Amino acid sequence: MNPSFLSGLNEQQLEAVTLPPRLGSGQAPQPALILAGAGSGKTRVLTTRIAWLIQTGQASPAGLLAVTFTNKAAKEMLARIAAMLPINTRGMWVGTFHGLCNRMLRAHYREAGLPQLFQILDSQDQLALIKRLMKAANVDDEKYPPRQVAWYINSHKDEGKRAADADDYDSFSRRMKELYAAYEGQCQREGVVDFAELLLRCHELLSKNEILRDHYRGRFRHILVDEFQDTNRLQYQWLRLLAGRDNAIFAVGDDDQSIYAFRGASAANMQELQKDFAVEKVIKLEQNYRSHGHILDAANALIEHNRRRLGKNLWTSASKGEPLRVYEAATDFDEAGFIVEEVKALHSEGVSLSEIALLYRSNAQSRVLEHALFNAGIAYRVYGGLRFFERQEIKHALAYLRLLASDDDGGALTRVINFPTRGIGNRSFEQLQDLARERGVSLWAAAVEKAGGGRREARGEKAAVGESEDAVKADAVDHVSRLTPHASLAKGIPAFVALIASMRAATASLPLPEIIEHVLEHSGLKQHYQSEREGADRLENLDELINAAAGFVSDEQQDDTSLTAFLAHAALEAGDNQAQAGADALQLMTVHSAKGLEFHSVFISGLEEGLFPHENSLSEADGREEERRLMYVALTRARRRLYLSFAQSRMLHGQTRYNIASSFFEEIPERLMKRVNIGLRSKVASLRSDATGLRSKVSSLKFDSQNLKPETLNFRPDFPWKIGQNVTHPKFGAGVIVDAEGRGADARVQVNFHRNGTKWLALEYAKLIPA
DNA sequence: TACCTCCACGTTTTT
DNA sequence: CGTGGAGGTA
């Protein structure tokens, strides 16, 4: 009686999905390593395995744990399970490593030595804490760059090492070790936990606490891991600890797609797993359902050049399809022009833009491409960049919320104590820090003391520790009412203390979205951005934050909708980075962020030696192999059509660089590739580049004329510049004048730059050139 | 406190 | 070329 969801699986997929318990061991599950090539149905196998285990009664939904690296993958997995089985997936332990560890630590915060409302630091917050710490300790940040300190701390944690475990063989490493130790102390005092700490703390919790360990081991008989090749040491140790001797890990991964070694991922964990769990079954999924034959042949031939592989060869029953198209461009500009033309052609053949990806090795390469696409009027979406919860205004709002939730959070206090400005400058803040350090208390406690002290001084009373917050609040509110906009510096602190205290009191019993609304209003954030010239977007984002909270509260998958849970959600899931996700648009992204995706057509641009493979990676151990895997990932994203392009010269860091073609071209058999510009290359290139230039002018004129409102076309008699006129700025590039004001020395024009948005420029200074 | 100018730096990234 | 951070000045 095979459930319907098993139909359509191939032999190997079916074997993996229905892998029986280990022979002669009762119901003890069997460990397995599934070597799943690109496009071989990896996620399907993983989710179907879960459905099968539940359906056949080998596991209950609560009795298994499935772990992924990204929230997106976790959500996808839950959605697929829900589609196969009539069960409520809420409450299932399916999530990211960090999400699951967070869950466990929340449930056992005491045993883990954490405060109940511990806050999670993202990388930004972590770096800020390190800087603050180093400044307070007077550490030379030239010799010990905060970023490097952060890297040191994180990589030690990823290895499972505390400061006490760190090496100290010379003065530098001794100092780093001290900084790590100081950081540990600071985090503990402030009740905050960074990303790596979530994992390390959880690992320590399970390894030290036998009762809990046994509890979870007894519960999770099946542990399933996605993208196993991306696990770092600590993550693997965590999995081992949870699995113990009796439970089984079902790991799915592809060593050829291991592209995160630079952040500690170790594909060697695949070999470790086989050894540690005595894996009998290594199942290879080699049938590819994604790409045409030539594309796969190219990918296989390329990856053959790597020495350290588990070994696997993808095949397809699909036809050979088209050859790979190779374009050698004269310049990066020319390359962009070629891509624009081909995208247009594909689009007119009926391929939707969202089915076309434009990939590059590094983000800096997107600019030329974006420019060309913009001028050609092709809709595109760039992945990467600032995400929603990482935006400045959102971080500020979240900092107020964190402070409401947890007094001790010094990072949150530091961020907003003077934002919006309330007269607490560096001097006052330093005094506060000194006081906190002297007394060994949190910044908040120091602020409360300072605020209280001010009142008592005025009344000739003696300061006392342990005064109730309400008294301070009542008193500080009193302060606020007397404050003038330019109150003396010391007055700022009582005002701040009163503000936080009153917000805390007023929001104590409110639902989450209303808490946020209250905070936005009363913190002064809203007013601040309202009065800021370019604050409109930020205000919109702040409103969006309320919506996000409302969505969070009403999400049925969410069992905890407290403020703290929302803050954890914000840190662990930084959100999307682009608003217009739905529109049909060409997809621009780095090769790294393309992993796991597929497209009808793929352009891999900038295939130049030094760029891809990247020169910086070549000095690292196995760097070239990792770059090759990256190229392998890029190639295998395409279903039907694949373009490879490179440019003889390219503007990079303000200099023209002359590059040769990537060595990867030599690793792909010539018969699979078709050069689309042999011989007439340079001539065609220059013509094309001319044509593209002309076309872009026409299209930008069209764009400009569409964006002009008729009523703004009133020219002033003595004004040398006209609204609607195309101009060029040495820094901002081409643009069009959309508004003007003043005359003579005060004359200013508003220019909508194609690349840099709208700016007001003083004509006296700005070197505008008519175009 | 806020703005401005100068300087250094520039691979990939999720949580 | 562009940006972001730091430091100096109004």
Side-chain angles (χ1 to χ4, degrees), chain A residues 301-497:
Chain A
L302 178 98
I303 203 67
E304 279 280 298
H305 289 80
N306 273 4
R307 288 150 142 257
R308 301 173 43 186
R309 293 182 67 210
L310 292 174
K312 154 171 78 18
N313 220 25
L314 286 181
W315 63 276
T316 177
S317 61
S319 65
K320 286 290 176 193
E322 304 170 355
L324 282 56
R325 302 179 188 216
V326 177
Y327 182 77
E328 177 175 3
T331 63
D332 48 351
F333 181 75
D334 170 29
E335 181 189 40
F338 167 76
I339 292 170
V340 162
E341 289 312 305
E342 292 297 324
V343 167
K344 277 188 192 160
L346 281 165
H347 193 39
S348 66
E349 285 167 25
V351 182
S352 68
L353 289 174
S354 58
E355 270 294 339
I356 308 174
L358 177 40
L359 309 182
Y360 34 80
R361 175 72 229 291
S362 60
N363 283 310
Q365 286 164 254
S366 75
R367 189 168 284 114
V368 201
L369 300 167
E370 283 186 67
H371 192 202
L373 290 166
F374 184 90
N375 283 333
I378 297 172
Y380 65 89
R381 179 179 173 193
V382 188
Y383 287 76
L386 212 53
R387 332 244 312 266
F388 181 73
F389 287 110
E390 293 166 355
R391 289 166 195 277
Q392 184 209 100
E393 62 277 18
I394 301 298
K395 294 289 279 182
H396 280 130
L398 292 177
Y400 277 107
L401 295 168
R402 269 163 56 175
L403 211 47
L404 295 192
S406 162
D407 272 346
D408 295 335
D409 191 334
L413 183 139
T414 305
R415 185 176 259 275
V416 294
I417 191 166
N418 198 35
F419 192 96
T421 49
R422 47 177 72 87
I424 305 173
N426 274 340
R427 228 177 20 257
S428 316
F429 184 64
E430 272 166 24
Q431 282 171 17
L432 200 61
Q433 276 183 311
D434 290 344
L435 182 65
R437 203 164 9 166
E438 235 172 74
R439 301 280 156 93
V441 297
S442 68
L443 286 170
W444 170 257
V448 169
E449 189 180 331
K450 245 189 160 54
R455 178 193 61 137
R456 274 178 298 265
E457 268 163 37
R459 296 186 193 165
E461 290 174 21
K462 209 175 155 189
V465 192
E467 179 183 25
S468 90
E469 206 169 77
D470 283 346
V472 176
K473 182 190 131 198
D475 176 62
V477 169
D478 198 32
H479 271 279
V480 178
S481 59
R482 293 196 306 266
L483 282 178
T484 57
H486 293 286
S488 77
L489 294 184
K491 292 267 167 77
I493 290 175
F496 178 71
V497 169

Side-chain angles (χ1 to χ4, degrees), chain A residues 1-7 14 17-18 48 51-58 85:
Chain A
M1 62 116 222
N2 276 350
S4 63
F5 51 71
L6 292 184
S7 68
L14 190 66
V17 165
T18 62
T48 314
W52 184 79
L53 287 171
I54 295 172
Q55 178 92 357
T56 57
Q58 296 181 66
L85 293 177

Side-chain angles (χ1 to χ4, degrees), chain A residues 384-634:
Chain A
L386 212 53
R387 332 244 312 266
F388 181 73
F389 287 110
E390 293 166 355
R391 289 166 195 277
Q392 184 209 100
E393 62 277 18
I394 301 298
K395 294 289 279 182
H396 280 130
L398 292 177
Y400 277 107
L401 295 168
R402 269 163 56 175
L403 211 47
L404 295 192
S406 162
D407 272 346
D408 295 335
D409 191 334
L413 183 139
T414 305
R415 185 176 259 275
V416 294
I417 191 166
N418 198 35
F419 192 96
T421 49
R422 47 177 72 87
I424 305 173
N426 274 340
R427 228 177 20 257
S428 316
F429 184 64
E430 272 166 24
Q431 282 171 17
L432 200 61
Q433 276 183 311
D434 290 344
L435 182 65
R437 203 164 9 166
E438 235 172 74
R439 301 280 156 93
V441 297
S442 68
L443 286 170
W444 170 257
V448 169
E449 189 180 331
K450 245 189 160 54
R455 178 193 61 137
R456 274 178 298 265
E457 268 163 37
R459 296 186 193 165
E461 290 174 21
K462 209 175 155 189
V465 192
E467 179 183 25
S468 90
E469 206 169 77
D470 283 346
V472 176
K473 182 190 131 198
D475 176 62
V477 169
D478 198 32
H479 271 279
V480 178
S481 59
R482 293 196 306 266
L483 282 178
T484 57
H486 293 286
S488 77
L489 294 184
K491 292 267 167 77
I493 290 175
F496 178 71
V497 169
L499 174 68
I500 298 299
S502 79
M503 288 201 298
R504 190 177 290 147
T507 58
S509 55
L510 291 182
L512 182 57
E514 287 173 38
I515 296 179
I516 298 179
E517 209 173 338
H518 182 96
V519 166
L520 295 184
E521 285 294 339
H522 293 83
S523 63
L525 277 181
K526 222 164 180 174
Q527 294 91 310
H528 173 85
Y529 288 119
Q530 267 160 1
S531 61
E532 203 177 73
R533 264 162 301 172
E534 300 188 12
D537 283 350
R538 298 195 190 274
L539 279 173
E540 233 171 78
N541 286 333
L542 289 177
D543 277 336
E544 197 49 45
L545 182 64
I546 301 174
N547 291 339
F552 181 79
V553 169
S554 62
D555 183 357
E556 292 186 359
Q557 293 289 320
Q558 214 67 56
D559 46 345
D560 181 356
T561 57
S562 65
L563 173 57
T564 303
F566 180 68
L567 291 170
H569 165 83
L572 291 175
E573 193 171 343
D576 220 328
N577 41 30
Q578 212 88 42
Q580 10 87 333
D584 181 38
L586 181 69
Q587 311 282 300
L588 271 69
M589 64 191 86
T590 63
V591 181
H592 280 92
S593 32
K595 195 170 100 165
L597 306 176
E598 61 173 67
F599 305 91
H600 174 279
S601 299
V602 169
F603 292 82
I604 307 173
S605 64
L607 278 167
E608 293 135 46
E609 197 66 11
L611 210 65
F612 195 6
H614 199 279
E615 53 202 355
N616 293 4
S617 71
L618 298 181
S619 56
E620 287 159 28
D622 297 319
R624 186 173 283 273
E625 295 220 344
E626 176 139 322
E627 292 291 302
R628 193 176 284 116
R629 289 192 293 269
L630 197 51
M631 180 65 179
Y632 176 78
V633 167

